[in-house]
Amino acid sequence: MKFTVDRVEIITMEDGFKYYGIFDKDGKDWYEELKKFNKDTLKVMYNKDTHLVFSADMDASRLAPTTQGDVVEEVEYQEIIPAPDNYFVDGKIVKLKQCETIKNGKIVFNRDFKIENIKSELSKLKVEYSEKAFVFKDDYVQRNRELDKNNLNNIVTMMLATKKANFEGWKFKNKDGTDTYVTLTLQDVLELSKIMTEQTTKAMHTETELRENLVNLSDEELKNYNAKKEFEQLWNKSS
């Protein structure tokens, strides 16, 4: 037994009493039809398009299908835990897994959602690889942070304006992790800035290429996609 709400209208009785009449596409009245449900079955109320479950009960009279598209369907009794993310598919109340959606009443892979998740991962990897530390002049470790890039640009401007040959006190890390302060020539500053810019650009290009290729992947490839592995492989390939 199944009842799908097609229309809801106000009914006025002879004595002036009014109530909401609930009808299916054949004009059958919900209040009459609910009497036809089997007493031993579970009655599930859900939306016919989204299949999201609103409520479930053994007693059909406890359900309130009052909106067009509401469906009440009876199935064999099953234990359920009421939750806002229950769906009714193929006669069972289920929960969708990550990257699943419902299409034409069937659970299918949510390709668009998966792609957006991967893009978010790639965006984080772009930042991570852009800011990766590198070794300068075989001795000094430098992080590629935006603050440091801005400082280097300011130092270049200052050195050119004042005609200073050196900048004293640029902080690096030694390979053992300790701080060290080094005097840089203008050429050093320009070289540092160049390395940082190239690394940032490389990270951006790597992300862009991987993002653009996502639409060409099959559903199975997307399901098994390892963003970190793919980013690292392309990063090393373009070294």
Side-chain angles (χ1 to χ4, degrees):
M1 179 70 180
K2 180 178 178 180
F3 184 92
T4 303
V5 178
D6 182 68
R7 70 182 194 282
V8 178
E9 58 186 58
I10 298 176
I11 306 296
T12 304
M13 305 290 286
E14 290 183 1
D15 61 1
F17 178 77
K18 295 181 180 180
Y19 71 95
Y20 284 101
I22 303 166
F23 305 94
D24 68 8
K25 63 183 179 60
D26 297 320
K28 295 177 181 178
D29 189 325
W30 161 250
Y31 298 105
E32 293 299 323
E33 293 299 301
L34 68 84
K35 302 172 186 177
K36 300 177 183 179
F37 285 96
N38 191 310
K39 293 182 180 180
D40 299 325
T41 56
L42 180 69
K43 290 79 180 175
V44 183
M45 189 174 85
Y46 62 95
N47 179 274
K48 72 173 184 178
D49 296 320
T50 65
H51 287 252
L52 182 67
V53 173
F54 299 133
S55 57
D57 203 290
M58 295 283 286
D59 187 350
S61 67
R62 293 181 180 176
L63 304 179
T66 56
T67 303
Q68 185 181 41
D70 284 352
V71 181
V72 176
E73 185 171 345
E74 65 177 343
V75 295
E76 290 186 11
Y77 181 76
Q78 58 182 282
E79 291 289 340
I80 63 166
I81 299 175
D85 58 346
N86 283 340
Y87 290 84
F88 186 74
V89 182
D90 291 333
K92 293 182 183 269
I93 294 177
V94 299
K95 291 186 184 296
L96 299 182
K97 297 176 183 178
Q98 186 181 37
C99 297
E100 286 184 339
T101 189
I102 295 175
K103 186 175 183 180
N104 298 324
K106 300 294 182 182
I107 297 176
V108 297
F109 177 59
N110 192 339
R111 182 181 178 87
D112 292 339
F113 182 77
K114 180 62 175 180
I115 286 177
E116 289 307 311
N117 278 355
I118 293 174
K119 286 181 178 179
S120 178
E121 290 182 71
L122 292 175
S123 180
K124 292 176 183 177
L125 287 165
K126 174 192 67 177
V127 175
E128 177 186 329
Y129 277 71
S130 175
E131 294 183 351
K132 258 188 167 185
F134 59 90
V135 178
F136 184 67
K137 289 193 171 180
D138 298 324
D139 292 316
Y140 309 120
V141 179
Q142 172 68 55
R143 283 281 305 279
N144 189 20
R145 297 169 297 190
E146 198 64 34
L147 175 63
D148 291 324
K149 285 187 284 189
N150 291 336
N151 285 340
L152 283 173
N153 290 334
N154 292 334
I155 290 170
V156 170
T157 301
M158 180 272 295
M159 292 179 75
L160 291 175
T162 60
K163 301 188 184 311
K164 287 187 65 175
N166 299 307
F167 177 81
E168 298 178 359
W170 182 263
K171 186 172 78 170
F172 287 106
K173 289 281 187 184
N174 289 312
K175 291 181 179 179
D176 62 4
T178 58
D179 292 339
T180 184
Y181 293 86
V182 177
T183 297
L184 300 177
T185 65
L186 177 59
Q187 188 60 39
D188 290 334
V189 175
L190 291 173
E191 181 64 20
L192 260 178
S193 181
K194 179 174 178 289
I195 293 171
M196 289 182 173
T197 300
E198 288 177 346
Q199 184 166 305
T200 299
T201 301
K202 180 180 175 181
M204 292 173 63
H205 285 171
T206 302
E207 180 206 20
T208 298
E209 185 172 339
L210 291 172
R211 282 171 62 103
E212 290 177 347
N213 190 49
L214 292 176
V215 296
N216 300 319
L217 301 181
S218 67
D219 287 354
E220 199 59 34
E221 287 172 323
L222 286 172
K223 289 177 185 178
N224 299 315
Y225 195 89
N226 186 321
K228 186 169 183 61
K229 178 181 177 182
E230 295 293 334
F231 200 102
E232 187 170 358
Q233 284 182 344
L234 185 56
W235 177 271
N236 293 334
K237 183 180 178 181
S238 56
S239 294

